[in-house]
């Protein structure tokens, strides 16, 4: 018994040392101490094992011992198996900054680092712009009119966007721009998101475009010329990156710029002869200035002795001879301005290079650094805004739509999708708010930008799919009254652009994070490149300590022992502790995958995707926790935050389970399962009771519905298009009174107190008035209420030949 007690105590001591990553000396002390006690009071064999462990730990863990014999051997092996990082990958890895994503890689995230920078909201100027200019702009856009009747925004909208500076949100005031924060840009796009064409038209010039590139890299002459013109809309920009053979792999650009001599403004100058073919370029058909990425070559060594200068970015005015621009693509669902650009032997001076000749060959770095911020804002914000609009319409419709004499919102089959819409919307809003706040604090979140781009656009697709499902026939029939169908079909665009979602999930999130965010991998690779054995020794054995520490933390916390101290309230504490626990499990599995697969991990995209899913869901859960911690909760929000966090942790655990099922090295996978899931899976999907509560909260006029709808357009504007969210809100304010009267009339009908032929609600109200079941006031209220409900349920119909472009080809089925 004494021996067993000593075994357990020594294991507990070692686990404690490993959890805290106290170092080799502490581990040696534990083993030597218990070995001595064992030698005196218990088993000599146990003492021998513990002493042997102490000696091995000293030889491997103490720098003075290991550097003489162990480190050089490991270093030699590492240099043989370490993956080769290409120059383009190095640029991508070095772009941006590491913040909370890096903490999640450590397995012991320091929550104070996340909470220290509070999101203090918008300035009065920014909020006024969102409440006034944004509302006015969206009130001028009906989805059917924009997408089908015009295939463009109305002229008055373009004029208004230019006049009010929508295209200059990121441009400093000294150049005539609005100089909005990242949070304000996000809020603008969320408010505009119920019309995809409008959101994209405003978002793109403020993210990946010449404006941002000029701000960061442009010459003073370029800034002074272009930025004021971009800010007030005199110039409309686009950026030509992708082409027929260069989509997600932008580094494979076949477009060329050859250094040569040519004539410009009547003089012979050194410049570039461009040949290019671009497609999928947003705003290209109406752009007045084209940002262009191409591969730059100097075969005649006019600039130096380097022939291949690399990817370069330049600004080319629309009227430049040889450039073809103006034709259009038709993006699915929402035909915003998008089209091809071609150029044959287009000559431009070197001064057209963004940043001037000194920035030749720096295009890939410029693009990656801009993408790392822009992808955090535009599409994720549009996704969050579209999800909020789905809350407004799906919640309102299902409450006023009645089947079997009851609102469909009371049916459990409908409540499941409604709860999912609410939860995903809450996650999306929390994530864009808090990540935009990080940008405003000076971070350039490269890995979080990929997380938000993939997961929030997928959430948008799910929310719109669920909203379509609960609407039924209302939204599968296109027309001016259909407020969902066009946005639903256009969701595929967000999934595909700015890094296709399949690629982002499979390659980018973990592929970039594994090296960029890991506490030691980048240092190890740098030591290899510099042939620095001392630096490698520090990094490698620090890495080893991290692995053992994560194993101890994942195992003990998986058993429910030693919960980390987290700075959250009783509502969310256990969720934050679970994030910490899964952070340790993720870090351990990431190291195991990199160790066992080595350079093959690049090709094992499904493994990388599941590791990325773990990281992403932990990041999103952290953003929800931070948002809860910083905002004043409303009634019903406790259930919503618990639903959202439970869903994210369920997804994290699912990704972990699937990773362990598919990790090729099975003994390692079995060991990882024992360490990370010692009691099996513990995070189920949120309970049905919570789903029912959330469905009720977003289908009635509640504080929670109001909070989720804050980013969306919720008001009526005189002279503007109908706003379905505002119309549903009005109906929900009066719903309780209407529901009581519905019940009274239906009860009377069931008892035979009303004529059996009174099948329509309107007929029953009139009959109930005659039978003194309804007062005159109540009858008038129900006439008006039911008329407004019927208007929201009505779908459009058209002339028989309305959809045919070739009228003479129509088959007249009713012809004699």
């Amino acid at each position: 018994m004494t021996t067993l007690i000593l075994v357990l105590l020594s294991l507990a001591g070692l686990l404690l040392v490993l959890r805290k990553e106290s170092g080799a000396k502490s581990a040696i002390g534990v083993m030597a101490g218990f070995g001595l006690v064992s030698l005196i009071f218990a088993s000599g064999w146990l003492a021998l094992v513990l002493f042997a462990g102490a000696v091995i730990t000293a030889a491997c863990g103490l720098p003075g011992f290991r550097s003489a014999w162990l480190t050089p051997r490991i270093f030699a092996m590492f240099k043989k198996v370490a993956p080769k990082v290409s120059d383009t990958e190095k640029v991508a890895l070095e772009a941006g900054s590491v913040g909370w994503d890096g903490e999640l890689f450590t397995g012991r995230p320091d929550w104070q680092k996340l909470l220290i920078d509070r999101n203090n909201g918008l300035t009065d100027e920014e909020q006024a712009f969102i409440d006034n200019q944004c509302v006015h702009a969206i009130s001028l856009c009906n989805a059917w009119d924009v997408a089908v009747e015009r295939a463009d925004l109305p002229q008055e909208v373009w004029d208004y966007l230019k006049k009010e500076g929508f295209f200059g949100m990121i441009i400093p005031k000294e150049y005539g721009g609005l100089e909005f924060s990242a949070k304000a840009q996000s809020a603008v796009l969320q408010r505009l998101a119920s019309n995809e064409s409008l959101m994209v038209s405003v978002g793109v010039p403020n993210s990946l475009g010449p404006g941002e590139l000029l701000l960061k890299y442009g010459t003073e002459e370029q800034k002074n010329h272009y930025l004021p013109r971009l800010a007030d809309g005199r110039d409309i920009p686009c950026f030509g990156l992708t082409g027929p053979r260069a989509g997600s792999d932008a580094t494979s650009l076949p477009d060329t710029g050859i250094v040569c001599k040519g004539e410009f403004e009547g003089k012979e100058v050194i410049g570039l002869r461009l040949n290019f073919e671009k497609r999928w370029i947003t705003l290209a058909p109406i752009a007045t200035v084209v940002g262009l990425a191409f591969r730059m070559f100097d075969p005649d060594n006019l600039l130096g002795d380097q022939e291949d200068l690399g990817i370069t970015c330049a600004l080319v005015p629309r009227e430049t001879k040889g450039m073809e621009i103006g034709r259009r693509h038709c993006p699915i669902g929402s035909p915003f301005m998008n089209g091809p650009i071609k150029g044959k032997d287009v000559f431009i001076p070197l001064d057209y290079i963004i940043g001037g000749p000194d920035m030749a060959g720096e295009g890939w770095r410029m693009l990656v650094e801009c993408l790392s911020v822009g992808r955090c804002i535009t599409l994720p914000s549009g996704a969050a805004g579209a999800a909020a609009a789905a809350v407004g319409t799906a919640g309102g419709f299902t409450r006023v739509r009645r089947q079997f004499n009851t609102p469909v919102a009371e049916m459990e089959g409908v409540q499941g999708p409604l709860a999912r819409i609410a939860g995903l919307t809450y996650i999306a809003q929390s994530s864009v708010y808090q990540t935009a706040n990080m940008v405003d604090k000076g971070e350039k979140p490269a890995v979080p930008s990929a997380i938000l781009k993939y997961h929030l656009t997928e959430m948008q697709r799910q929310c719109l799919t669920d909203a379509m499902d609960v609407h039924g026939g209302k939204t599968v029939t296109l027309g001016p009254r259909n407020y969902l169908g066009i946005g639903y079909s256009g969701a595929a665009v967000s999934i595909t652009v700015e890094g296709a979602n399949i690629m982002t999930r499979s390659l980018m999130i973990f592929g970039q994070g594994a090296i960029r965010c890991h506490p030691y991998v980048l240092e190890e690779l740098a030591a290899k490149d510099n042939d620095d054995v001392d630096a490698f020794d520090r990094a490698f054995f620090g890495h080893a300590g991290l692995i053992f520490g994560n194993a101890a933390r994942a195992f003990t916390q998986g058993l429910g022992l030693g919960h980390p101290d987290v700075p959250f309230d009783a509502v969310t504490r256990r969720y934050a502790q679970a994030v910490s626990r899964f952070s340790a499990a993720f870090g351990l599995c990431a190291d195991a995958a990199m160790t066992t697969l080595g350079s093959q991990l690049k090709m094992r995209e499904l493994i990388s995707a599941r590791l990325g899913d773990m990281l992403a869901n932990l990041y999103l859960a952290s953003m929800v926790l931070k948002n809860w911690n910083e905002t004043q909760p409303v009634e019903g929000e406790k259930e919503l935050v618990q639903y959202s966090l439970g869903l994210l942790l369920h997804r994290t655990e699912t990704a972990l389970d699937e990773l362990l099922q598919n990790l090729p090295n099975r003994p390692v996978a079995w060991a990882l399962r024992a360490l990370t899931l010692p009691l099996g899976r513990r995070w189920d999907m949120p309970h049905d009771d919570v789903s029912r509560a959330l469905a009720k909260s977003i289908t009635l006029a509640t504080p929670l519905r109001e909070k989720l709808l804050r980013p969306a357009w919720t008001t009526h504007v005189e002279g503007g298009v109908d706003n379905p969210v505002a119309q549903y809100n009005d109906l929900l304010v009066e719903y309780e009174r209407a529901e009581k009267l519905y019940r009274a009339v239906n009860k009377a009908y069931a008892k035979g107190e009303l004529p059996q032929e009174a099948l329509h609600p309107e007929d029953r109200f009139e009959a109930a008035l005659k039978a003194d079941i309804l007062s005159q006031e109540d009858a008038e209220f129900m006439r008006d209420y039911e008329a407004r409900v019927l208007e929201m349920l009505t779908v459009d119909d058209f002339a028989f030949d309305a959809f045919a472009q070739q009228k003479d080809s129509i088959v007249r089925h009713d012809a004699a």
Side-chain angles (χ1 to χ4, degrees), residues 349-361:
L350 293 178
D351 288 344
Y352 279 16
I353 295 174
I354 297 177
D358 290 342
M359 294 301 290

Side-chain angles (χ1 to χ4, degrees), residues 371-372 375-376 445-456 498 501 504-505 508-510 512 616:
L371 276 171
S372 70
R375 289 201 307 166
C376 279
V447 173
S449 74
I451 291 173
L452 264 62
K453 194 280 169 181
Y454 170 76
H455 284 274
L456 267 61
E498 289 197 23
N501 275 12
T504 301
R505 174 177 179 252
M508 293 184 64
I509 295 175
F510 180 74
Q512 189 173 16

Side-chain angles (χ1 to χ4, degrees), residues 415-417 419-421 423-424 427 462 466 574-575 617 639 642-654 681-691 694:
Q415 289 172 341
R420 188 161 54 239
I421 291 172
L424 296 181
I427 294 167
Q462 183 65 62
D466 285 335
R574 76 183 188 98
Y575 299 100
N617 283 294
E639 290 76 16
Q642 291 175 335
Y643 178 98
S644 302
L645 290 170
L647 177 63
L648 290 169
L649 290 168
H650 170 78
R651 291 182 173 185
T652 303
E653 194 171 59
T654 298
R681 296 189 57 169
R682 295 163 59 185
W683 286 95
D684 298 324
M685 284 288 290
H687 197 276
D688 289 349
D689 289 344
V690 180
S691 295
L694 291 183

